[in-house]
Amino acid sequence: MCANVFGVLKSLFGKPFDGGKRNMDHGGQQHHQQQQQQPGPFQQFQAFQQHFQGPGPQAGGFSPGQHPALSRLDEVQREVAGLGPQVCSFSGLQSDREYRRLERELTRLLLEADKVETEGRPELQQARKRVAGEVEGLLRYLEGNATHPSRLAIEDLSQEARSLLLTGVVEPHRAGVASEIGEELVEGVQGVAMRLAQVKTGGSVPLRKARYRALTRVCAVQEVLEGRVRMRTLPLPLSEQTHASVQRINQVMVEVSGARCQLIALLMGLSGRDSCTHLARVLTEFLVELDALDVSSNAAVRNYRKQVVEEINGMLKHLDLEGEGDDTRRYDLAQNDSIREIEAIRGRVNILRGEVLRQGMAGLGAELQGLLNQLDQVDTGRNPCIREARRRAVLEVQAVITYLDLYEALCRRQESPAEEHPSHAAVWRVLASLSELQAQVLGFDGKRADKSYMVLEELLTKQLLALDAVDPQGDQMTKVARKQAVKYAQNILSYLDMKTDEWEY
């Protein structure tokens, strides 16, 4: 289905679109080919869009001069072509006004096509059937995105954030109560942002837009809350006896504090009366007023005003989020510089992993450690999706490093020392099996539904059971070794799970 949508977007906009998919390896290409081979409900619309590539009045594929029915179907097709990009980019829910408009327009076109009289002629019936199929495909695509489990998950998480903020910020502000922003609220919003970053979109543009819009708002609110917590630690406000302008700056500070609550309500859709435009105008007026104050004679007051101005500017930058996911391509993180840097490092890791599995090269630890250092320096820009991409890349590097470390330890060990405790030797035997299984996990490039995945998962679970069956017999070294081996096996299972969870940025 996704492959068909990408084809539609390419034909609509005249340029290639990869949906933000990571260019992983040959396995991903095979999966893409399988998707293309499977006919989806949207393929008719894709073929229809390709039919409109050429200019001129005959671009619709019908000859209006031949029969009135074909002429009418040609008109319907052209209207469908105009709605296609809007349907493909819609990222809302069924309750949205835009959804109802698109659904109404498509239903009207479906009825218009059904009204065309074919006079029993097969060629006219076929043409009408094709147009109706194209409209039905758009209707299914529209409904499928609006009711997709990932889209509903995004809405549920957004609603969870709204509930937290309504109780902790908005309602106390409306009641005139001075509320304290605690760490619990900040951590709750941060948790929602992290779970939003984990939502899978399958490369769907509408789902990625919806996730981007929700994430930008939640992250903006998180930044506002953290800024409010920081402001409590500043030695503000100053005494009015310090300077004549301090009184007005203090008044602005109070009003800015209230505006911060309004900003949170606006970002999360909890304000029915205010608008981003109105709040931006109010904050801008504050800036103008602060700029007109003469504080040149007092450095402390000047610094005080500067902090208030920075606070206002920080709020203003969040007021242009409305429509950003639609008006820009920022939701397409494949074009993000940090993501490109991460992907370049991942590409090098893939090469090194292949060399390790083929040749067992032990001298690559320094280069792998250097790649970890590069990942630590990647600027995530407070974006949870970029942070998650970096985290996964770090785990990929660490998986190769731990495999090399265990491989070298096993090579040094060769055989059990004569005086070694039997239970300790049993743990080493399990570690040898885990090393072989980890090599298979590192080279695995399939899905969870694959038989090879289930075999690997079962074998790793058996090794955990084998470790559980080891009796330390009071030997402290065996207890520590078994605990470390259990953690090692669990890390391999987690890495296998991460490789197959189909997450994308």
Side-chain angles (χ1 to χ4, degrees):
M1 180 69 179
C2 292
N4 299 332
V5 177
F6 299 156
V8 171
L9 291 168
K10 179 178 178 180
S11 63
L12 288 174
F13 302 114
K15 56 183 177 182
F17 182 79
D18 64 358
K21 290 254 181 212
R22 289 176 287 188
N23 186 14
M24 298 290 286
D25 44 30
H26 186 62
Q29 295 174 357
Q30 289 178 343
H31 173 57
H32 181 68
Q33 291 170 357
Q34 291 173 359
Q35 284 183 315
Q36 287 182 324
Q37 292 169 0
Q38 297 175 355
F42 211 52
Q43 280 184 330
Q44 289 180 328
F45 178 63
Q46 179 182 0
F48 157 64
Q49 286 295 336
Q50 293 172 350
H51 205 55
F52 272 78
Q53 291 298 308
Q58 304 299 325
F62 298 127
S63 300
Q66 290 185 356
H67 196 281
L70 289 178
S71 178
R72 180 59 189 136
L73 289 173
D74 182 74
E75 294 174 2
V76 173
Q77 271 196 335
R78 292 181 185 278
E79 289 190 63
V80 175
L83 289 174
Q86 301 174 48
V87 172
C88 288
S89 62
F90 177 74
S91 59
L93 299 166
Q94 285 183 308
S95 57
D96 294 349
R97 181 184 300 176
E98 180 66 8
Y99 178 92
R100 294 194 293 268
R101 183 189 72 81
L102 289 171
E103 185 182 43
R104 186 169 58 251
E105 288 296 315
L106 290 170
T107 303
R108 177 184 64 80
L109 292 174
L110 189 61
L111 295 175
E112 289 291 334
D114 190 59
K115 289 179 184 178
V116 174
E117 181 59 50
T118 63
E119 302 174 357
R121 295 173 58 177
E123 65 274 15
L124 297 180
Q125 291 174 348
Q126 187 65 26
R128 185 177 66 181
K129 181 179 179 181
R130 188 179 73 172
V131 174
E134 292 158 2
V135 180
E136 290 171 352
L138 279 176
L139 279 168
R140 285 194 297 271
Y141 183 68
L142 180 66
E143 181 182 6
N145 278 317
T147 60
H148 194 282
S150 293
R151 182 64 186 90
L152 299 179
I154 292 169
E155 183 60 23
D156 290 343
L157 288 169
S158 299
Q159 187 58 45
E160 180 180 340
R162 292 189 195 102
S163 299
L164 286 172
L165 295 165
L166 184 64
T167 305
V169 178
V170 178
E171 286 183 344
H173 171 68
R174 290 173 178 170
V177 178
S179 60
E180 291 291 330
I181 304 299
E183 292 184 2
E184 183 178 350
L185 177 59
V186 176
E187 290 175 358
V189 174
Q190 183 180 5
V192 171
M194 293 306 299
R195 279 181 284 156
L196 274 170
Q198 297 287 343
V199 173
K200 301 177 181 66
T201 64
S204 167
V205 170
L207 294 179
R208 288 164 63 205
K209 281 187 174 183
R211 186 180 66 177
Y212 175 82
R213 284 173 60 85
L215 264 176
T216 52
R217 281 153 180 74
V218 172
C219 290
V221 167
Q222 181 184 345
E223 188 173 337
V224 172
L225 293 176
E226 292 174 351
R228 185 170 177 179
V229 172
R230 287 194 301 270
M231 288 298 289
R232 293 208 308 264
T233 65
L234 296 175
L236 302 176
L238 293 178
S239 170
E240 295 181 4
Q241 298 177 354
T242 306
H243 193 276
S245 301
V246 170
Q247 180 180 4
R248 183 50 192 156
I249 299 177
N250 289 343
Q251 292 172 353
V252 171
M253 271 292 297
V254 173
E255 295 182 42
V256 168
S257 180
R260 189 184 296 108
C261 296
Q262 296 177 36
L263 173 62
I264 291 174
L266 283 168
L267 290 173
M268 299 307 300
L270 297 172
S271 176
R273 294 173 297 175
D274 299 326
S275 67
C276 291
T277 304
H278 172 72
L279 183 57
R281 184 168 59 250
V282 171
L283 292 175
T284 303
E285 290 174 358
F286 287 155
L287 287 178
V288 173
E289 186 173 355
L290 289 172
D291 185 63
L293 294 176
D294 182 14
V295 295
S296 58
S297 60
N298 192 305
V301 178
R302 192 163 60 248
N303 184 57
Y304 178 27
R305 183 183 66 174
K306 179 182 177 182
Q307 292 174 339
V308 178
V309 168
E310 289 176 352
E311 175 72 8
I312 296 175
N313 285 329
M315 295 171 61
L316 281 170
K317 76 176 183 180
H318 296 308
L319 286 172
D320 61 351
L321 288 176
E322 193 63 33
E324 184 182 271
D326 297 322
D327 299 337
T328 74
R329 292 181 61 84
R330 293 182 185 176
Y331 66 86
D332 185 8
L333 288 178
Q335 309 303 321
N336 182 276
D337 291 338
S338 295
I339 287 292
R340 288 178 175 177
E341 187 176 353
I342 293 172
E343 287 301 315
I345 295 173
R346 291 185 66 248
R348 181 56 185 164
V349 173
N350 288 337
I351 295 174
L352 295 178
R353 181 171 59 230
E355 293 178 358
V356 167
L357 295 177
R358 286 192 303 271
Q359 305 173 21
M361 301 175 66
L364 299 176
E367 183 174 358
L368 289 167
Q369 190 61 47
L371 293 177
L372 280 179
N373 295 334
Q374 291 181 39
L375 286 169
D376 287 340
Q377 296 172 8
V378 172
D379 180 18
T380 63
R382 299 177 61 86
N383 187 311
C385 287
I386 300 178
R387 286 204 300 264
E388 177 66 12
R390 184 178 66 176
R391 184 188 72 84
R392 288 168 172 263
V394 167
L395 291 178
E396 290 182 14
V397 180
Q398 290 176 339
V400 181
I401 291 176
T402 55
Y403 171 75
L404 279 175
D405 290 344
L406 180 58
Y407 179 81
E408 292 174 4
L410 290 169
C411 290
R412 289 193 302 268
R413 177 179 169 81
Q414 294 298 328
E415 59 184 33
S416 302
E419 68 279 3
E420 186 176 37
H421 195 283
S423 298
H424 195 259
V427 173
W428 272 105
R429 285 194 294 272
V430 175
L431 284 172
S433 299
L434 286 174
S435 179
E436 296 176 1
L437 289 173
Q438 188 178 17
Q440 298 179 47
V441 171
L442 288 172
F444 180 76
D445 184 32
K447 298 181 178 179
R448 292 184 183 177
D450 295 349
K451 184 178 180 180
S452 55
Y453 173 88
M454 292 182 278
V455 169
L456 280 172
E457 189 177 41
E458 182 180 356
L459 290 175
L460 287 167
T461 304
K462 285 182 177 179
Q463 298 307 314
L464 281 170
L465 294 175
L467 287 168
D468 188 61
V470 173
D471 184 6
Q473 299 177 3
D475 184 67
Q476 190 63 31
M477 185 178 294
T478 301
K479 290 181 181 179
V480 174
R482 186 180 68 172
K483 183 178 179 180
Q484 292 176 341
V486 168
K487 185 177 181 180
Y488 189 84
Q490 290 173 340
N491 287 342
I492 298 174
L493 274 169
S494 298
Y495 178 67
L496 177 63
D497 183 70
M498 186 196 76
K499 288 188 72 172
T500 56
D501 67 1
E502 299 180 0
W503 182 86
E504 78 293 322
Y505 36 76

